[in-house]
Amino acid sequence: MFNRSRRNLACWFTLSMGSILVLFAVTTYYLRAEDKLEATDRLLYRKTRLMAASVEYELSEGKPQVDLERVPVLGSGTLPLGTELAYVRWYSSGAQLKRFFGEPPSQPLEISSGFRTVRSSDRSSEPLSDNTARNNAEKVWLRQLTLPVQEGNELIGYLQVATPLSDIRADLRQFQLALTLTMLVTLVLIGLTGWYLGGVAMQPIKQTYNQLQRFTADASHELRSPLSASLTNAQVALMLAAECPQIQPSLQNIIDSTQSMNVLVNNLLMLARYKGGLTPDLLKPVNLNLLVSESAASYQAQFDAQKIRFIICIPEQSIEVQADSDLLKQAVDNLLSNACKYTEEGETVWLRLGAYANWATVQVVDMGMGISKKDLIHIFDRFYRTDTGRVRGGDGFGLGLSIVEQVVEAHGGRVWATSVEHKGSTFQIELPIRSRLQS
Ligand code: ADP
């Protein structure tokens, strides 16, 4: 129980810290990408402005003439800007391509000045200064700037320049890898810290719980003697009161209540004593075939009296487990007792012993009233009783299944239940097999 809570605490801690970490990493990545793009844009803008400044314009014989000869890249064909440019294009003011360097445009110019990130598959869109990269036909991402060029107030054309984003992408990929690795290491550290903190947080709870267990065990133990004294005295008084019928019901009431309290005290003592695993000296080789037959025999009369068909399936092959036979018998008895309580006359109850892989299984199946879905998840809780259970179950305390669960878990096993309301329930105990011998 404590380990489960500790694990849950550690998981929640890791999950919450992990989410914050992921958020932080995504923001950092986003900011870095923004930063890089901004730097690229600044540089691209400066170069485009420089080119635009070299465009010469004059009116010859009343007609506007644009001279691009002195424009870097477009005019001379050299790369005086010393930078990686994918293409440079000059469009007239009517958006017609007049001259270009690098990749020719695949579509007519959309007059949307400003920055855009575009994708290009053409080899010539690779950096002009990087010949090896030109052989790479992969699609590349480009940052493109379209700048309207004006002379005075008159628009004389558009200069479109693009630069590849491969460096930024490579840098971001590396950054992403570094972030992922750092995050993984940090998550492991957070998990370990969560586990440690969970342990520290559990300490006082564990102590309090142990004290409570000890108190319950001591109190139940101390209550047993006065209870049995009361019971004996009440039984003796009932015998002596044979002549006095008026006080007999009162004495019978005392006996019933004392017996019921006795059951409760014994159940509480059991729950308090066998919390956690059993010490190895308590575990002995137990033949489950015998144990299950004994339990079945002790309930046969009760099933017969209630006219319930009781079918027992025990294999010939011996199934042995390491167990405390009294505790284990108590667990099987509790399941059979419930099957008796919650099954109607004329219905059937099966008790089956079996094995699969390294597990022995004891199954109690009934065609009784069944358990609703909302109750099914609680039936192993202490003192939990369903409403119908209260009516049908008589003097039960809602501790029977808690005891089954505790006993089975103390033996390293597990117990589970399935049920369909008004159709019946199946309870299965699974225990690790010690050995399976041929009989
Ligand atoms: P109780 O002493 O009340 O039987 P248990 O812990 O054995 O306590 O069972 C808890 C509740 O689970 C019962 O009150 C009952 O409602 C339900 N229950 C247990 N076994 C069965 C069963 N075989 N069929 C239907 N309901 C069951």
Side-chain angles (χ1 to χ4, degrees), residues 7-19 187 189-195 197:
R7 229 183 356 256
N8 283 347
L9 269 177
C11 280
W12 280 110
F13 183 72
T14 313
L15 211 70
S16 43
M17 294 302 280
S19 313
L187 268 180
L189 289 177
I190 289 175
L192 292 175
T193 315
W195 178 251
L197 289 179

Side-chain angles (χ1 to χ4, degrees), residues 200-250:
V200 173
M202 277 293 129
Q203 273 314 319
I205 302 171
K206 216 170 173 172
Q207 266 172 12
T208 315
Y209 182 81
N210 286 341
Q211 276 169 2
L212 204 66
Q213 287 285 101
R214 220 169 301 130
F215 169 78
T216 315
D218 293 346
S220 322
H221 191 260
E222 293 307 319
L223 277 172
R224 283 170 105 189
S225 318
L227 273 178
S228 45
S230 306
L231 188 62
T232 320
N233 284 318
Q235 280 165 339
V236 170
L238 187 64
M239 276 193 296
L240 296 176
E243 314 281 288
C244 201
Q246 307 94 300
I247 62 162
Q248 277 181 0
S250 311

Side-chain angles (χ1 to χ4, degrees), residues 62-308:
K63 281 188 177 174
Q65 292 283 326
V66 176
D67 184 4
L68 301 172
E69 270 321 296
R70 300 182 67 167
V71 178
V73 185
L74 276 183
S76 60
T78 58
L79 300 170
L81 297 175
T83 54
E84 299 177 333
L85 293 178
Y87 55 75
V88 181
R89 295 164 188 165
W90 173 260
Y91 293 87
S92 68
S93 56
Q96 276 179 336
L97 181 69
K98 291 294 180 189
R99 198 180 289 188
F100 69 90
F101 199 93
E103 182 187 358
S106 51
Q107 293 165 350
L109 173 74
E110 283 173 38
I111 312 276
S112 60
S113 47
F115 291 101
R116 273 179 67 191
T117 303
V118 293
R119 214 165 174 199
S120 163
S121 57
D122 197 294
R123 290 170 195 194
S124 54
S125 60
E126 289 296 327
L128 298 178
S129 58
D130 186 352
N131 285 330
T132 52
R134 281 173 180 258
N135 297 328
N136 180 4
E138 246 181 61
K139 290 202 171 194
V140 287
W141 286 100
L142 305 172
R143 190 70 173 161
Q144 170 192 289
L145 170 62
T146 310
L147 192 73
V149 183
Q150 288 180 314
E151 181 72 29
N153 279 338
E154 195 176 345
L155 177 73
I156 59 169
Y158 294 93
L159 193 59
Q160 193 174 64
V161 182
T163 183
L165 290 173
S166 24
D167 281 354
I168 299 184
R169 282 168 62 81
D171 177 87
L172 285 178
R173 254 198 303 275
Q174 260 187 8
F175 186 58
Q176 195 180 15
L177 187 74
L179 266 183
T180 313
L181 287 178
T182 318
M183 246 167 52
L184 284 179
V185 173
T186 319
L187 268 180
V188 171
L189 289 177
I190 289 175
L192 292 175
T193 315
W195 178 251
Y196 171 75
L197 289 179
V200 173
M202 277 293 129
Q203 273 314 319
I205 302 171
K206 216 170 173 172
Q207 266 172 12
T208 315
Y209 182 81
N210 286 341
Q211 276 169 2
L212 204 66
Q213 287 285 101
R214 220 169 301 130
F215 169 78
T216 315
D218 293 346
S220 322
H221 191 260
E222 293 307 319
L223 277 172
R224 283 170 105 189
S225 318
L227 273 178
S228 45
S230 306
L231 188 62
T232 320
N233 284 318
Q235 280 165 339
V236 170
L238 187 64
M239 276 193 296
L240 296 176
E243 314 281 288
C244 201
Q246 307 94 300
I247 62 162
Q248 277 181 0
S250 311
L251 287 172
Q252 191 55 52
N253 266 347
I254 296 174
I255 291 172
D256 291 347
S257 316
T258 319
Q259 271 170 341
S260 161
M261 273 170 76
N262 226 354
V263 172
L264 175 63
V265 163
N266 282 336
N267 283 347
L268 282 176
L269 188 61
M270 183 138 192
L271 282 170
R273 265 192 191 156
Y274 298 107
K275 188 74 205 147
L278 296 169
T279 50
D281 54 302
L282 288 174
L283 298 175
K284 304 263 154 31
V286 172
N287 184 318
L288 268 186
N289 306 52
L290 281 179
L291 185 139
V292 170
S293 325
E294 277 171 28
S295 277
S298 59
Y299 275 87
Q300 185 70 60
Q302 205 169 325
F303 281 116
D304 290 345
Q306 285 182 236
K307 299 201 174 57
I308 295 171

Side-chain angles (χ1 to χ4, degrees), residues 338 341-342 366 371 379 384-386 389 396-398 400-401 425 427:
N338 281 349
K341 277 196 270 184
Y342 304 113
D366 65 60
I371 306 163
I379 52 166
Y384 189 86
R385 304 189 76 196
T386 63
F397 293 102
L401 289 179
S425 316
F427 287 84

